[in-house]
Amino acid sequence: MTNINIDPQSLCPCCSKQTYQQCCQPFHLKKQSAKTPEQLMRSRFCAFYLKDYDYLIATHHSQYLNGLDTETLAQEPLPQWLSLDVIRSSHTNDKGQVTFQAWYKLDDEIDAIHECSDFLKCDGQWLYTEGKQMDPVMPNRNDKCVCYSGKKFKQCCGG
């Protein structure tokens, strides 16, 4: 269950421009399964944002957990998740990939997880397996801020 309450009518934390109710909530409530790896990636980012660690474990392929559990995910320090940028997404049959940057703040520093994630479809359900980490591509000072405030990066999170 989530540890952070969110108004179902508010914009979804996964940055899809849909409401949480229209986007990730049905996955978190187990009313729907993700139809694509990108939907699963967005719902997993949203689960990190909401601290819904049970969902993260449930959507992680069991053969790739390597001892990961809800207690490990909940260990301090926890980042403040800001936004998700999906760069590329593809799938064929039962394999998929999503390249993304997940922006966060930790100890007043902005950083991102830049990853190409692999997914497998098992028994009709997409599951995260593993990902290849890459260096984040940081925004320029005059780019829009990663937190979607509408301000320039230098006047917001990069200030």
Side-chain angles (χ1 to χ4, degrees):
M1 197 64 187
T2 61
N3 292 325
I4 296 175
N5 291 325
I6 183 171
D7 177 358
Q9 297 303 317
S10 66
L11 286 177
C12 193
C14 80
C15 305
S16 66
K17 299 182 181 166
Q18 298 179 57
T19 66
Y20 175 61
Q21 186 175 37
Q22 296 169 317
C23 192
C24 292
Q25 187 182 42
F27 306 131
H28 295 162
L29 295 176
K30 298 177 180 77
K31 292 183 177 182
Q32 289 181 21
S33 293
K35 293 179 178 67
T36 66
E38 182 175 337
Q39 278 186 332
L40 183 61
M41 180 66 241
R42 288 184 176 281
S43 71
R44 286 177 55 81
F45 172 84
C46 190
F48 273 109
Y49 182 95
L50 297 172
K51 298 179 172 79
D52 187 351
Y53 304 126
D54 291 332
Y55 181 81
L56 291 166
I57 296 299
T59 58
H60 198 130
H61 195 292
S62 61
Q63 293 178 0
Y64 292 85
L65 279 171
N66 299 317
L68 184 67
D69 58 21
T70 57
E71 291 78 24
T72 305
L73 290 170
Q75 285 181 352
E76 300 287 336
L78 293 174
Q80 174 192 353
W81 294 100
L82 300 173
S83 64
L84 176 68
D85 293 329
V86 174
I87 299 163
R88 195 177 324 40
S89 178
S90 64
H91 68 281
T92 54
N93 300 324
D94 61 351
K95 292 184 179 180
Q97 281 192 329
V98 179
T99 303
F100 68 92
Q101 286 202 140
W103 293 97
Y104 65 90
K105 186 183 278 191
L106 183 63
D107 298 328
D108 293 326
E109 296 288 326
I110 298 292
D111 206 350
I113 295 172
H114 187 182
E115 182 176 302
C116 180
S117 297
D118 292 326
F119 298 84
L120 287 176
K121 194 172 192 179
C122 302
D123 298 324
Q125 199 140 348
W126 285 105
L127 298 170
Y128 171 79
T129 59
E130 57 190 351
K132 178 185 174 212
Q133 299 284 315
M134 298 172 277
D135 291 333
V137 180
M138 298 302 286
N140 293 315
R141 292 172 26 88
N142 290 323
D143 289 344
K144 288 184 179 178
C145 192
V146 297
C147 74
Y148 288 93
S149 67
K151 297 178 185 176
K152 290 182 180 181
F153 182 67
K154 68 180 178 186
Q155 296 170 329
C156 195
C157 293

